[in-house]
Structures are given as structure tokens and as C-alpha cells.
């Protein structure tokens, strides 16, 4: 983990509510795991001292570029959209614990909304090891379905469901997931972006004895384990434990997640 400045190569909207930013990180030599995040100074450090956490969307080791896909939500992400090509961005990272791949078998990734940004990096890593990857992307509208083409291009099989088309209920996602688990040799299941889908993935991992991991979100201040702003509860055996999402997570075994 280090603090560094990176030059912005592109920063543009990819749909009504989502933007993608690409940084030149050629000066930095660092391993970056899918599921890890960077803590980003989005605007003026004096007026807005709190950084914003964004997961790695794509780290290109050869080109030494780092990309993030972000939902424009409030002050921080709005300020990020104002950054132009050639501007410098200050980051801390890579931070946190990332995903782990199964030794064998195919992966099933279940993402909702911008949660697909986090799972996209995992899909790439798995495809680079020639593992089969199925991705269920759930969104409000067809326009909000992100990264379908990119994921298809890298050889993942993408299944989309939306609220608008009334295909995104938990029951629908369950029957699609169960079909894939039974027919496609799924050995591991991962999720990000929705509490109700996380509960579903937790149940499926338990019922079908799959390796399962969840990328969680929490409001963060320091991002490096000092302030406990991101504390959450996990289950270890019969005990409940308080952990920090920024250092102990953001990725946890799905069996440990406490989902109300
Ligand atoms: C580990 C991690 C990875 C993330 N990866 C991505 C990503 O790849 N793409 C993406 O679009 N978003 C991601 N998020 C969510 C993103 O950090 C928030 O949407 C963003 O901080 C909102 O800031 P804002 O100023 O625009 O919004 P505001 O709502 O104005 O934010 C106000 C405060 O709340 C915090 N906050 C608000 N929503 C969230 C949230 N959902 N999670 C954590 N903190 C929040 C902000 O950090 C800020 O301190 C991630 C969050 C975490 C914890
Ligand atoms: S954000 Fe400070 S401990 Fe996690």
C-alpha cells in the first residue's frame, strides 16, 4: 500500500449515472488483486478531506493502467467527474483483502448495479487463468446494465436481469443460478452490490457446498484501519466478531456475512 499521484488518461460518462476513469500508473510497481480498493482524493483536500473508496475495475499489468467504474452519487463522485485528462489524482492503495479463486471448476458471479465494477476484475483474473465464468448482472433498467460487452469479449458468459423487464426478482435469480450450478460445474460463487442477492448467494453456497465470497461496502474515513468508521459484524463459528471492512475486508467468505 502506498500514497501516490497518477495522471488521468480518460474520464468519461458511460451511461446516464455511471463514469469510468483510467489512470496512468506506469511509475508504480505493485500487485493489485481483484476485490481490493483505492482510497481516492476526489476534490479539494482542504474543503473535502474525506477520500472515497473505489474498487479496482481493471488493472492492466502490461500497459500499467488502472481503471475505476463509478456511480455518480454525491459530492465526492460529482467532483471526480470534473477531473480532466492530464490532471493528477491522489490515491492510497491498493487496500484491503481481495477475492480468491477456486482451484478448479467454474465461477458464478452475481452482481447488482455498480457491484459489477468489483466483480469485473475478478472475472478478468479468472479468465486469464482460463477458468469458465458466468456472470448474472442485475440492474434497474437495461440502460444500467454495465460491462456486458467487455465481459463477453473476455470470454465470460453474461446473463442479464432487470427490474424494468421484471426478471430481477430473487426467485428468478435463484432459479437461474440453480440451473447454472447444476449444469455448468460451478464450484465458487461471488457477489457484490445487493443485500438481498447476498442473502441468496449465502443460501446457495450453503445448499450446494460452494466456495463463496462477498465484497462488502461501508462508509469509510481513513481507509487504512485506524478509525473504525467502517466496523461491521461477521460470524466466526458460533461467535460474532467486529471487524474493519477496510483492512479485514472488503471481501469476506460469504459464510461469515451477517445479513439482516
Ligand atoms: C470497498 C469499497 C469499494 C467501492 N467500490 C465502488 C466502485 O467500484 N464504484 C462505485 O461507484 N462505488 C464504489 N463504492 C461506493 C463509493 O465509495 C460511494 O458511492 C462513494 O463513496 C460515494 O461518495 P459521494 O461523495 O459521491 O456520495 P455521498 O453520498 O455524498 O457520500 C457521503 C459520504 O458517505 C460515504 N458513502 C456514501 N455511500 C457509500 C457507500 N455505498 N459505500 C461507502 N461509503 C459511502 C462517502 O464515502 C462519504 O464519506 C465502494 C465502496 C467501498 C466501501
Ligand atoms: S475506514 Fe478507518 S478503520 Fe476502516
Amino acid at each position: 500500500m502506498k500514497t501516490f499521484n497518477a495522471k488521468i488518461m480518460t474520464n468519461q460518462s458511460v451511461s446516464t449515472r455511471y463514469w469510468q476513469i483510467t489512470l496512468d500508473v506506469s511509475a508504480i510497481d505493485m500487485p493489485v488483486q481483484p476485490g481490493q480498493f483505492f482510497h481516492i482524493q476526489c476534490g479539494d483536500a482542504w474543503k473535502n478531506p474525506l477520500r472515497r473508496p473505489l474498487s479496482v475495475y481493471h488493472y492492466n499489468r502490461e500497459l500499467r493502467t488502472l481503471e475505476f467504474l463509478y456511480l455518480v452519487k454525491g459530492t465526492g463522485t460529482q467532483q471526480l467527474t470534473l477531473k480532466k485528462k492530464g490532471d493528477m489524482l491522489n490515491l492510497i492503495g491498493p487496500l484491503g483483502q481481495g477475492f480468491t479463486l477456486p482451484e478448479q471448476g467454474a465461477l458464478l458471479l452475481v452482481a447488482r448495479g455498480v457491484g459489477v465494477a468489483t466483480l469485473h476484475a475478478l472475472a478478468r483474473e479468472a479468465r486469464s487463468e482460463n477458468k469458465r465464468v458466468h456472470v448474472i448482472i442485475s440492474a434497474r433498467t437495461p440502460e444500467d446494465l454495465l460491462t456486458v460487452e467487455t465481459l463477453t469479449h473476455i470470454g465470460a458468459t453474461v446473463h442479464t436481469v432487470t427490474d424494468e423487464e421484471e426478471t430481477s426478482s430473487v426467485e428468478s435469480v435463484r432459479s437461474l443460478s440453480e440451473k447454472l450450478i447444476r449444469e455448468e460445474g460451478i464450484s465458487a460463487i461471488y457477489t457484490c452490490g445487493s443485500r438481498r442477492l447476498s442473502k441468496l448467494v449465502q443460501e446457495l453456497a450453503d445448499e450446494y457446498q460452494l466456495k463463496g465470497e462477498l465484497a462488502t461496502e461501508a462508509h469509510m474515513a481513513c481507509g487504512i484501519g485506524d478509525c473504525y468508521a467502517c466496523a461491521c459484524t461477521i460470524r466466526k463459528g458460533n461467535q460474532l466478531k467486529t471487524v474493519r471492512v477496510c483492512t479485514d475486508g472488503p471481501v469476506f467468505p460469504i459464510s461469515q456475512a451477517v445479513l439482516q
Side-chain angles (χ1 to χ4, degrees), residues 37 50-55 69-71 73-78 114 117-118 216-220 250:
F37 70 97
L50 285 184
R51 290 167 182 267
R52 301 294 189 258
L54 291 181
S55 308
L69 178 65
Y70 62 99
L71 169 68
K73 192 172 182 190
T75 342
T77 45
Q78 275 160 16
V114 80
T118 310
T216 52
E217 279 194 11
H219 287 218
M220 289 185 181

Side-chain angles (χ1 to χ4, degrees), residues 17-19 35-39 42 48 50-57 67-80 95-96 113-119 146 192 215-221 230 245-246 249-251:
R17 301 187 302 135
Y18 296 96
W19 280 55
Q36 286 191 301
F37 70 97
F38 286 78
H39 217 23
C42 294
N48 295 291
L50 285 184
R51 290 167 182 267
R52 301 294 189 258
L54 291 181
S55 308
V56 178
Y57 171 71
E67 292 175 54
F68 301 100
L69 178 65
Y70 62 99
L71 169 68
V72 182
K73 192 172 182 190
T75 342
T77 45
Q78 275 160 16
Q79 284 174 335
L80 194 56
L95 296 168
V114 80
V116 75
T118 310
L119 295 181
L146 302 166
C192 182
T216 52
E217 279 194 11
H219 287 218
M220 289 185 181
C230 63
V245 171
C246 67
V251 176

Side-chain angles (χ1 to χ4, degrees), residues 37 39 218-231 243-247:
F37 70 97
H39 217 23
H219 287 218
M220 289 185 181
C222 73
I224 53 168
D226 285 343
C227 72
Y228 281 78
C230 63
V243 292
R244 289 159 293 180
V245 171
C246 67
T247 47

